[in-house]
Amino acid sequence: MKIVSWNVAGFRACLRKGFRIFFEQTDADIVCLQEVKATKEQYDFHPQNYYEYLNAAERKGYSGVLIYTKQEPLTVTYGIGKKAFDCEGRLLTLEYKEFYLVNVYVPNVQRTLARMEFRIEWEKEFRRYIRKLDKEKPVIICGDFNVAHTEMDIKNAKQNRGNAGFTDEERLAFTNLLNLGLVDIYRNFYPDKLEAYTWWSYMKGVRERNIGWRIDYFLISKRWIKKVEDVHIYSSVYGSDHCPVGIQMKENIVQ
């Protein structure tokens, strides 16, 4: 079973840049998208044999998460139950018999760090939400976390220390999330891998020289890590300033 996650940085634009080809070739069982920036009426991709769930932001052209899944979930939850956060369309949870799947687009603190307080409060609520789910059944979380967790996850660590996406506060919040009993799947499989990035600036030549950040993750409840066969970063796939990431499970866990 294959699950793929991708911050498409505007779904309508990504559709014009080859998304359909990637979707068809990958043939994933579940595809989670972030930063969709559209309502369902604004894009024309509704593939057959997939159930489709969108949590759009109230603000037009902003944020939004979307899931395509071959298997109908038991329940679908939009947001975390806090109006101040849920109006931005950042969370979508599908419940299956054996696990929860959470698609998340974590708030960006902005270059000036103006949204740091909002981000930290959001992180606290997110941890409460995940802790509650994990008590019921294992959790798989994927999406754009807007943070490079360690110096291994960013090209120029020293120069970026304290910048948005690499502040002590954001990195600690990610550590605290893992401390709930979650595993960063990529680091579990590739603990020493360097220059494995998922986001690059649009500045000329940056992606070609692989001056990037790893800010897109798959996390899983520690007790379920043995069910994961492999994890992959599709660094050669364009269409966004992010690239897709995916995991291969050893069995079809949604049956």
Side-chain angles (χ1 to χ4, degrees):
M1 180 182 170
K2 186 185 297 182
I3 307 174
V4 168
S5 174
W6 192 3
N7 180 322
V8 290
F11 194 27
R12 287 168 288 180
C14 195
L15 282 166
R16 296 192 295 269
K17 299 175 183 177
F19 176 86
R20 288 178 175 85
I21 296 173
F22 172 77
F23 186 93
E24 292 168 3
Q25 291 180 344
T26 308
D27 190 30
D29 298 276
I30 303 175
V31 177
C32 298
L33 308 181
Q34 304 89 40
E35 205 174 355
V36 176
K37 296 183 178 180
T39 62
K40 189 172 289 189
E41 297 74 29
Q42 292 178 309
Y43 60 86
D44 61 355
F45 189 73
H46 310 288
Q48 291 184 346
N49 303 318
Y50 281 87
Y51 295 90
E52 179 181 345
Y53 304 97
L54 170 68
N55 187 9
E58 291 181 4
R59 174 180 161 189
K60 291 184 179 180
Y62 182 72
S63 192
V65 289
L66 170 64
I67 299 179
Y68 295 105
T69 173
K70 292 181 179 179
Q71 181 71 34
E72 185 177 13
L74 300 176
T75 66
V76 181
T77 303
Y78 299 82
I80 56 178
K82 297 287 183 178
K83 175 65 176 177
F85 303 124
D86 292 346
C87 64
E88 296 193 355
R90 295 187 176 277
L91 204 74
L92 194 53
T93 305
L94 304 189
E95 179 188 6
Y96 292 99
K97 183 178 179 181
E98 294 189 42
F99 72 106
Y100 286 103
L101 174 72
V102 179
N103 181 16
V104 62
Y105 178 37
V106 175
N108 190 310
V109 297
Q110 299 180 352
R111 183 167 295 186
T112 62
L113 308 186
R115 294 200 94 196
M116 179 65 78
E117 184 177 350
F118 179 89
R119 165 74 173 264
I120 297 304
E121 287 303 312
W122 189 94
E123 295 273 9
K124 291 177 182 177
E125 291 298 333
F126 184 56
R127 287 196 298 273
R128 290 192 189 102
Y129 180 74
I130 296 301
R131 185 183 294 110
K132 179 181 178 182
L133 294 183
D134 190 56
K135 286 181 179 179
E136 297 178 15
K137 58 183 76 174
V139 180
I140 298 174
I141 312 170
C142 65
D144 177 2
F145 286 77
N146 263 313
V147 63
H149 186 213
T150 73
E151 292 188 356
M152 296 176 64
D153 301 312
I154 186 170
K155 182 66 173 181
N156 297 312
K158 290 183 179 179
Q159 296 93 317
N160 281 290
R161 177 76 182 270
N163 289 342
F166 201 57
T167 63
D168 293 345
E169 295 91 337
E170 293 166 294
R171 296 169 66 193
L172 177 59
F174 193 87
T175 297
N176 289 338
L177 179 63
L178 293 179
N179 286 342
L180 296 180
L182 300 173
V183 177
D184 174 351
I185 296 178
Y186 190 83
R187 280 291 165 235
N188 179 80
F189 280 85
Y190 305 103
D192 303 314
K193 180 75 171 177
L194 299 175
E195 299 190 344
Y197 305 129
T198 65
W199 176 83
W200 302 262
S201 165
Y202 278 127
M203 293 177 62
K204 186 176 180 179
V206 167
R207 186 159 182 175
E208 289 72 18
R209 289 180 288 157
N210 198 26
I211 302 173
W213 303 41
R214 188 172 74 98
I215 61 176
D216 303 88
Y217 300 82
F218 267 93
L219 310 181
I220 194 168
S221 298
K222 192 174 296 184
R223 61 191 183 278
W224 251 37
I225 187 61
K226 291 183 179 180
K227 290 184 178 288
V228 183
E229 184 174 303
D230 199 5
V231 56
H232 185 66
I233 295 176
Y234 298 86
S235 55
S236 63
V237 175
Y238 284 64
S240 165
D241 51 349
H242 297 249
C243 74
V245 294
I247 58 171
Q248 182 72 43
M249 307 299 291
K250 294 179 180 178
E251 58 189 71
N252 188 352
I253 55 176
V254 297
Q255 285 185 338

